[in-house]
Amino acid sequence: MAQGSAKIRIAHAAPIGQGARLLRVERVDGAELGFAGGQYVIINTGVTLPGGKLAKRAYSMLSSDAEQRAVEIAVKRIDAGPGSNVLNDIAVGAELEWSGPWGKLRLPPGFSGRALVIATDTGITAALGIARSAAAAGAAQLDLLWLVEDGDYFVSEAFVRERLPAAVRLTVAGGFPPVGHPERPARACALVGDHVADGPRDAVLCAGDGAVIYPIRDRLGSLGAPEGSVLLESFFNNPLKKSL
Ligand SMILES: Cc1cc2nc3c(=O)[nH]c(=O)nc-3n(C[C@H](O)[C@H](O)[C@H](O)COP(=O)(O)OP(=O)(O)OC[C@H]3O[C@@H](n4cnc5c(N)ncnc54)[C@H](O)[C@@H]3O)c2cc1C
């Protein structure tokens, strides 16, 4: 299925924790999305922003790419943010538009090496998508490191473990400083340095806070990761652009 926009329907919704929602979404025309684990869609929430633009927001699939007709996303409510509030409140059966799939955060087709996936905060959705898709494709060794403030931040550790294939080794670095805390990059770099002390990875994929994952890439580079072997997807605080 080629990239493009399509009408979608909210097929199922369930609260997850205090301020987040799990949504199952499908195309109204029944077509496949054609995504790879780690990619995202951009949903037109239908909200008009004060400047007149429509609020279009990106969400990474947390479901496996073995299933292409219905995908799962999880949306954390961000204060009074227009997009996340619409998706936390929207009725099952409602229809919206999306475009996609987008994004280069994905393992190469047929990848069979040793990979490390690093997620901060809500970046765990993309990490789940990568890990579940890699397992469905029979890919080899995969470690997942999740840097998160605490169990109430978004989805729970149990939610993640229930969905992770048994072969994936999950490390949850709980108690990570909150978003915006100045110590986050240094703490993350130290944790990642410890994590790769047992040997290099063929691929490293990072998703979440741009203020953290760019320094992680630099640290991995200084530890010998080849140029281009560390892929990044900023969910917020993207140093390359102000907003999506
Ligand atoms: C590639 C990509 C994938 C994404 N996948 C997901 C996902 O799977 N689940 C999900 O909940 N969100 C995801 N996001 C974030 C999402 O696109 C929106 O930014 C978020 O839902 C807030 O939108 P809003 O309209 O409610 O608030 P806005 O008014 O747009 O946001 C207010 C501010 O909060 C920032 N922000 C967004 N997320 C966070 C966060 N976790 N912590 C702190 N600040 C944040 C935004 O960048 C913005 O500066 C993703 C973003 C990108 C770029």
Side-chain angles (χ1 to χ4, degrees):
M1 173 61 53
Q3 284 169 342
S5 47
K7 193 166 253 199
I8 51 156
R9 180 183 300 120
I10 308 297
H12 183 76
I16 35 174
Q18 293 296 313
R21 202 174 191 211
L22 178 66
L23 298 171
R24 195 167 75 242
V25 185
E26 57 195 22
R27 282 175 58 135
V28 169
D29 64 7
E32 298 195 341
L33 175 56
F35 79 103
Q39 289 192 297
Y40 62 91
V41 287
I42 295 181
I43 297 183
N44 180 348
T45 62
V47 177
T48 304
L49 298 170
K53 277 174 73 179
L54 285 165
K56 297 180 180 180
R57 298 289 182 261
Y59 296 96
S60 296
M61 275 64 76
L62 65 87
S63 45
S64 164
D65 60 16
E67 168 56 84
Q68 292 283 351
R69 288 190 197 282
V71 301
E72 282 185 324
I73 60 170
V75 182
K76 177 177 169 64
R77 205 187 281 269
I78 302 288
D79 304 323
S84 60
N85 277 279
V86 163
L87 293 173
N88 270 275
D89 297 333
I90 197 166
V92 171
E95 294 181 1
L96 294 171
E97 288 231 321
W98 77 12
S99 71
W102 305 110
K104 296 187 176 136
L105 187 78
R106 50 185 291 186
L107 288 169
F111 178 84
S112 61
R114 194 172 178 211
L116 171 62
V117 182
I118 303 169
T120 83
D121 317 293
T122 42
I124 191 63
T125 54
L128 271 171
I130 293 162
R132 296 170 86 186
S133 303
Q141 297 173 58
L142 205 138
D143 290 345
L144 168 49
L145 173 63
W146 185 24
L147 313 176
V148 65
E149 203 179 323
D150 61 43
D152 292 333
Y153 172 79
F154 183 37
V155 298
S156 66
E157 181 174 338
F159 176 99
V160 175
R161 287 196 186 279
E162 274 162 25
R163 285 161 180 80
L164 266 190
V168 178
R169 199 177 57 166
L170 171 68
T171 305
V172 180
F176 195 58
V179 173
H181 195 289
E183 281 172 21
R184 270 163 77 93
R187 288 275 288 276
C189 288
L191 285 162
V192 170
D194 291 347
H195 215 77
V196 297
D198 61 343
R201 302 305 199 271
D202 303 304
V204 182
L205 294 85
C206 312
D209 184 355
V212 173
I213 61 175
Y214 280 79
I216 287 176
R217 183 173 68 179
D218 294 346
R219 173 59 59 93
L220 288 168
S222 72
L223 293 172
E227 183 90 28
S229 68
V230 183
L231 303 179
L232 308 180
E233 193 73 81
S234 278
F235 280 23
F236 56 96
N237 288 338
N238 187 341
L240 304 182
K241 50 183 168 178
K242 276 205 167 132
S243 62
L244 192 78

